[in-house]
């Protein structure tokens, strides 16, 4: 809970830092309302809609309301999916307003000691350091491979955790060993004639917990005719920092990544995680006031492309792609669709796979409820959104749910587990499915 003094400081910074022109751009038309999962699942509460949150931000700027606990709850309940942005006739950059508001609140609020320790550990001690990420993931590998996981499940200890976390433990991917995570490539030649030179953004969780998907991504790029450079000095994208009110940390990570990639001379910077990609293309906004980095950030943004987009550009969908007979469906990554504007390309690739029937899911473009760590910190709302999503999934009769983001992948696996469909249905990242389809 914020004190009166903290609220006064927050109000002061809202006045000086929030983009009032952007706040005033919202015409309160309501086009955003049908696209907002939290507005719908909360029973149409205005304070849980984009329009309502913008109105609250403006009221804080104007001194009409205090930035109290209810105000902070409204900000935190937002998934940050940014589905409101493509439908906004005024082009309001809601995601940027949300990040700025969260940063102001977080930087001027005194957290409890346990929360301060956790935040410092995660945002300063863990995610900026890939070697520490590998160490932590290596411990998870030991847990999975040593028999400890089986003991934990049989003992019933998992029942002590919230249901969503206990279920999440069941759907975690088989993690590579510490040795495997250390031996990562830095340069790969194309298979066949070279068509493009690309740099690969390997990410933090993607190159540890989801390392096999990164390997599949690089293999597809090679098959498509790409020379690949993987800069060793790259870092976490910074999305988790920015979404959690740690904007300065996000800026430092952005600068590290821009410096790591700009000397390569690649045609594109390729990402395979919608959440990471969306934040990478927002570097220009993040660093817009920095005279040293602003132009460099724009150049970085202009080269960033999702794996599905370059595969379509290189006509990968015209290759012979084949899978066993089945129905497949696709769950959009919110940030890939709403920020990177990449929605047609994944579908074009999936529709090209022989023997399969692509069935478009109802509301495939709505959030699955993962949203980074949202499914942990706002578990109840997240599971409510997921349950609604799974009704649409089941209506397709699909055997395979395809995603393009690690958080979405785990969330859909969690949905399958919660519905008791593990024997009938699977969730898979699009690059892993395409590698199957190309016969590798």
């Amino acid at each position: 809970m914020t004190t009166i003094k903290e609220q006064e400081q927050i109000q002061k910074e809202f006045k000086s830092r929030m983009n009032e022109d952007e706040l005033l751009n919202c015409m309160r038309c309501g086009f955003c309302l049908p696209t907002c999962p939290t507005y719908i699942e909360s029973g149409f509460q205005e304070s849980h809609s984009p329009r309502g949150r913008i109105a609250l931000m403006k009221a804080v700027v104007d001194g009409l309301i205090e930035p109290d606990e209810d105000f902070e709850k409204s900000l935190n309940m937002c998934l940050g999916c940014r589905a409101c942005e493509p439908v906004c006739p005024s082009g309001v950059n809601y995601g940027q307003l949300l990040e700025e508001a969260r940063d102001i609140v977080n930087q001027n609020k005194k957290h409890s000691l346990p929360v301060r320790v956790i935040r410092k550990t995660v945002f300063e001690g863990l995610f900026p350091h890939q070697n520490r990420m590998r160490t932590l993931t290596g411990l998870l590998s030991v847990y999975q491979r040593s028999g400890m996981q089986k003991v934990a499940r049989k003992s019933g200890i998992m029942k002590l955790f919230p249901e969503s976390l206990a279920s999440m433990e069941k759907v975690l991917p088989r993690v590579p060993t510490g040795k495997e995570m250390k031996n990562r490539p830095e340069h790969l030649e194309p298979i066949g004639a070279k068509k493009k030179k690309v740099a690969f953004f390997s990410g933090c969780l993607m190159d540890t917990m989801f390392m096999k998907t990164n390997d599949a991504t690089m293999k597809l790029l090679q098959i498509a005719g790409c020379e690949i450079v993987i800069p060793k000095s790259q870092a976490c994208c910074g999305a988790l920092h920015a979404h959690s009110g740690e904007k300065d940390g996000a800026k430092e990570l952005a600068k590290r990544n821009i410096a790591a990639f700009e000397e390569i001379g690649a045609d594109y910077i390729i990402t395979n995680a919608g959440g990471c990609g969306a934040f990478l293309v927002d570097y220009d906004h993040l660093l817009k006031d920095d005279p040293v980095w602003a132009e460099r950030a724009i150049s970085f943004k202009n080269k960033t492309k999702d794996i599905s987009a370059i595969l379509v550009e290189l006509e990968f969908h015209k290759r012979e792609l084949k899978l066993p007979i089945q129905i497949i469906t696709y769950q959009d990554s919110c940030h890939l669709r709403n920020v990177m504007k990449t929605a047609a390309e994944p579908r074009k690739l999936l529709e090209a796979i022989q023997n399969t029937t692509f069935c478009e899911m109802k509301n495939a473009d709505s959030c699955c409820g993962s949203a980074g760590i949202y499914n942990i910190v706002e578990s109840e709302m997240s599971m409510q959104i997921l349950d609604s999503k799974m009704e649409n999934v089941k209506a397709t009769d699909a055997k395979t749910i395809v995603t393009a983001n690690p958080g979405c992948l785990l969330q859909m696996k969690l949905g399958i587990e919660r519905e008791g469909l593990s024997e009938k249905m699977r969730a898979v990242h699009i690059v892993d499915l395409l590698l199957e389809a190309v016969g590798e």
Side-chain angles (χ1 to χ4, degrees):
M1 184 177 294
T2 52
T3 65
I4 293 176
K5 186 177 180 180
E6 288 169 345
Q7 289 181 12
E8 289 174 349
Q9 184 60 32
I10 289 170
Q11 204 146 25
K12 182 180 177 182
E13 291 208 21
F14 259 74
K15 185 71 176 174
S16 63
R17 287 176 53 182
M18 294 300 292
N19 187 333
E20 198 158 1
D21 289 338
E22 197 72 67
L23 291 171
L24 289 170
N25 274 344
C26 178
M27 301 184 301
R28 314 290 191 263
C29 65
F31 275 74
C32 60
L33 300 183
T35 72
C36 179
T38 56
Y39 174 71
I40 295 167
E41 296 296 338
S42 68
F44 310 110
Q45 290 186 40
E46 186 72 15
S47 62
H48 292 324
S49 73
R51 179 178 71 179
R53 292 185 181 102
I54 291 173
L56 291 173
M57 294 176 201
K58 182 68 169 66
V60 171
V61 170
D62 293 340
L64 299 176
I65 65 169
E66 296 175 346
D68 56 13
E69 194 172 345
D70 288 338
F71 173 74
E72 188 176 355
K73 181 181 179 181
S74 176
L75 295 183
N76 291 339
M77 191 62 73
C78 181
L79 291 149
C81 68
R82 296 171 72 169
C84 51
E85 292 185 9
V87 299
C88 178
S90 300
V92 176
N93 291 305
Y94 172 80
Q96 295 170 3
L97 289 172
L98 179 68
E99 282 182 5
E100 192 73 7
R102 283 177 170 172
D103 188 64
I104 293 170
V105 171
N106 179 68
Q107 296 305 322
N108 292 283
K109 175 184 176 181
K110 187 175 182 181
H111 295 286
S112 65
L113 180 60
V115 172
R116 290 203 304 272
V117 170
I118 291 171
R119 292 183 71 92
K120 188 174 181 63
T121 300
V122 171
F123 296 123
E124 296 180 29
L126 183 58
F127 276 88
H129 307 281
Q130 190 65 359
N131 59 329
R132 296 176 190 175
M133 290 291 294
R134 285 194 291 265
T135 299
L136 182 63
T137 310
L139 293 175
L140 179 57
S141 176
V142 172
Y143 169 74
Q144 290 178 331
R145 297 169 193 271
S146 66
M148 292 170 61
Q149 187 176 49
K150 291 181 180 178
V151 171
R153 291 177 179 177
K154 288 181 179 180
S155 69
I157 195 171
M158 297 309 298
K159 293 179 180 178
L160 299 175
F161 294 91
E163 182 187 352
S164 59
L165 281 180
S167 299
M168 188 68 77
E169 186 270 347
K170 294 180 182 179
V171 301
L172 288 175
R174 187 75 168 172
V175 176
T177 65
K179 183 178 180 181
E180 288 173 325
M181 286 185 281
K182 287 180 181 177
N183 297 323
R184 304 301 290 145
E186 294 181 44
H187 183 266
L188 294 168
E189 294 291 341
I191 295 172
K194 176 181 171 181
K195 298 178 181 177
K196 296 287 181 182
K197 179 180 180 181
V198 301
F200 179 49
F201 182 81
S202 53
C204 45
L205 282 177
M206 287 305 300
D207 214 43
T208 50
M209 188 177 293
F210 297 92
M211 192 186 82
K212 298 301 182 184
T213 298
N214 266 7
D215 290 343
T217 302
M218 290 185 281
K219 188 70 173 179
L220 290 179
L221 288 170
Q222 286 181 287
I223 293 170
C226 295
E227 176 191 358
I228 312 167
V229 180
I230 309 97
K232 199 171 184 179
S233 56
Q234 65 179 291
C236 167
C237 68
L240 183 62
H241 292 70
H243 300 333
S244 303
E246 296 285 344
K247 205 169 182 180
D248 285 344
K251 288 179 179 179
E252 290 308 309
L253 290 169
K255 292 172 184 177
R256 282 174 58 183
N257 283 322
I258 292 169
F261 282 88
E262 64 186 355
E263 298 301 325
I264 292 172
D267 298 308
Y268 299 120
I269 298 166
I270 303 300
T271 175
N272 60 3
C276 295
F279 196 67
L280 295 178
V281 300
D282 262 356
Y283 278 2
D284 62 331
H285 172 75
L286 185 69
L287 299 172
K288 69 182 189 324
D289 297 322
D290 191 314
V292 176
W293 292 91
E295 290 297 324
R296 296 162 74 179
I298 292 172
S299 177
F300 181 94
K301 170 185 178 171
N302 291 339
K303 284 190 173 185
T304 302
K305 188 183 289 280
D306 182 70
I307 175 67
S308 62
I310 189 173
L311 289 180
V312 169
E313 180 180 326
L314 297 176
E315 300 188 329
F316 195 87
H317 56 292
K318 294 184 179 180
R319 291 174 175 268
E320 185 176 351
L321 305 172
K322 187 181 294 185
L323 285 172
I325 296 173
Q326 60 184 291
I327 298 172
I328 59 177
T329 193
Y330 178 68
Q331 166 60 30
D332 281 287
S333 157
C334 296
H335 289 124
L336 181 60
R337 183 186 185 100
N338 300 326
V339 183
M340 296 189 78
K341 313 300 182 188
T342 303
E345 292 89 342
R347 288 169 169 82
K348 182 171 283 191
L349 290 163
L350 295 175
E351 289 169 349
I353 302 174
Q354 298 175 36
N355 295 335
T356 67
T357 301
F358 178 76
C359 183
E360 185 71 40
M361 185 199 314
K362 180 182 177 183
N363 296 333
D365 57 346
S366 69
C367 187
C368 64
S370 172
I373 59 172
Y374 187 93
N375 56 4
I376 297 173
V377 298
E378 298 290 348
S379 178
E380 184 178 350
M381 177 59 77
S382 175
M383 293 304 103
Q384 197 173 326
I385 292 168
L386 177 59
D387 290 343
S388 296
K389 176 64 64 177
M390 288 307 297
E391 290 302 312
N392 293 334
V393 169
K394 288 186 290 184
T396 67
D397 290 326
K399 179 182 177 182
T400 301
I401 311 170
V402 184
T403 73
N405 186 60
C408 303
L409 178 61
L410 288 181
Q411 186 81 340
M412 298 316 298
K413 284 186 174 185
L414 180 57
I416 292 170
E417 180 71 25
R418 283 167 62 86
E419 295 288 336
L421 296 172
S422 298
E423 300 300 318
K424 299 178 181 179
M425 187 183 293
R426 65 170 178 162
V428 62
H429 193 290
I430 188 170
V431 298
D432 293 309
L433 189 74
L434 288 172
L435 198 62
E436 286 181 35
V438 83
E440 290 290 334

